[in-house]
């Protein structure tokens, strides 16, 4: 599904404006499937697993503007399966951004309360319903974040290392938005298994450090078990910052809009309002605080999410106007 490898591009104007370190963008927003993003990588493995198990129905969950739900809907259709999405949000949510795309992909959508924490029981009920109707359901957890999905990011780590070698670049830090832990877990296992010497730094999309850090470790070690590796990841390997979580998941704030405009205005690259804008706010602030050495190199993984820009147009315009 994904067109790989994605480009690893220099960002010279942004680097210059921020005064170092050297910044490169890993363009996973450009991975070529259903408008792109990190979930396309994970779904290659998850859909393969579903097919191997004879599934004909894919059930997953997320917020109404979930990128994961959008790409899952497309992936299910691509392989002849029926996508059912359990989405947290207002039942009056407008068909815009990812929700509009879910509809265009012909997904069946069930909206649940925005504050419902665990939608797994609902997905299990739907799966039961499906089995009763003679179908074979396959449940994908939130964000596709289990070892099967996350191992795609161990591959992404290999991809980054290979590209850096080709470009004669030594990567000191890999920075990205972290939410359900799959991306970070996969990268961490990959980094350790491949003896990568840099740091892997996840910036929270709103989640707090506990219990996400433990989940990241669990996923990373699950990846190791999947391929019979003896590499062991522990809590001290997890660099996860939640001080940029701001007002919470999906809530836009001025610093995020500033980060989006800075990258758009220097590199012509669009970030998104929920994940990558927040992670870039974190990266820019950490640079100002002297977290990185000026001669170091940071790879910022652009994990996608740009379709959500349109669903946030009112909030974005209100910040632009002030
Ligand atoms: C899901 C998502 C993330 C977070 O990835 P996790 O693997 O859930 O931590 C980051 N950026 C975008 C655009 C996403 O859709």
């Amino acid at each position: 599904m994904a067109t790989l490898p994605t480009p690893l591009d220099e960002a010279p104007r942004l680097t210059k404006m921020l005064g170092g370190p050297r910044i490169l963008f890993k363009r996973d927003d450009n991975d070529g499937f259903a408008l792109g993003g990190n979930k396309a990588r994970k779904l290659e493995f998850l859909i393969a697993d579903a097919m191997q198990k004879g599934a004909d129905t894919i059930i997953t969950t997320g917020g109404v503007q979930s990128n994961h739900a959008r790409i899952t809907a497309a992936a299910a259709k691509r392989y002849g399966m029926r996508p059912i999405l359990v989405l947290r949000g207002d039942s009056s949510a407008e068909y815009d951004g990812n929700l509009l795309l879910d509809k265009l992909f012909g997904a069946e959508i069930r909206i649940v309360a925005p504050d419902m924490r665990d939608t797994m029981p609902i997905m299990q009920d739907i799966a039961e319903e499906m089995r009763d109707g003679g179908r074979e359901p396959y449940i994908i957890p939130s964000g596709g974040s289990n070892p099967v999905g996350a191992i795609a990011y161990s591959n992404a780590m290999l991809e980054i290392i290979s590209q850096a070698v080709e470009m004669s670049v030594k990567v000191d830090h890999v920075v990205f938005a972290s939410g359900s832990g799959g991306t970070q877990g996969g990268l961490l296992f990959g980094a350790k298994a491949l003896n990568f010497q840099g740091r892997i730094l996840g910036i929270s999309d709103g989640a707090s450090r506990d219990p996400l850090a433990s989940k990241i470790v669990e996923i990373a070690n699950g990846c190791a078990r999947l391929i019979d590796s003896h590499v062991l990841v522990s809590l001290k390997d997890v660099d996860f910052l939640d001080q940029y979580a701001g007002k919470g998941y999906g809530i836009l704030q001025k610093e995020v809009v500033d980060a989006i405009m800075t990258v758009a205005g220097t590199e012509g690259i669009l970030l998104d309002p929920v994940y990558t804008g927040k992670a870039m706010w974190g990266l820019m602030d950490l640079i100002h605080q002297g977290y990185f050495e000026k001669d170091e190199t940071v790879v910022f993984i652009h994990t996608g999410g740009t379709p959500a820009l349109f669903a946030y147009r009112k909030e974005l315009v209100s910040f632009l106007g002030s």
Side-chain angles (χ1 to χ4, degrees), residues 1 7 26 40 57 65 93 129 132 138 160 171 174 181 198 200 214 227-228 232 272-273 276 283 300 313 319:
M1 287 185 280
K26 178 64 172 161
T57 304
Q65 282 302 324
E129 233 174 81
D132 289 345
Y138 183 92
I160 290 169
V171 178
V174 178
I200 305 293
S214 322
I227 62 165
D228 294 323
L232 203 62
D272 84 285
T276 55
L283 175 60
F300 180 86
R313 70 188 183 284
F319 282 108

Side-chain angles (χ1 to χ4, degrees), residues 20 57 98 100 143 150 184 194 198 259 280:
T57 304
N98 284 306
L100 173 65
Q184 188 156 2
L194 296 161
M280 182 53 71

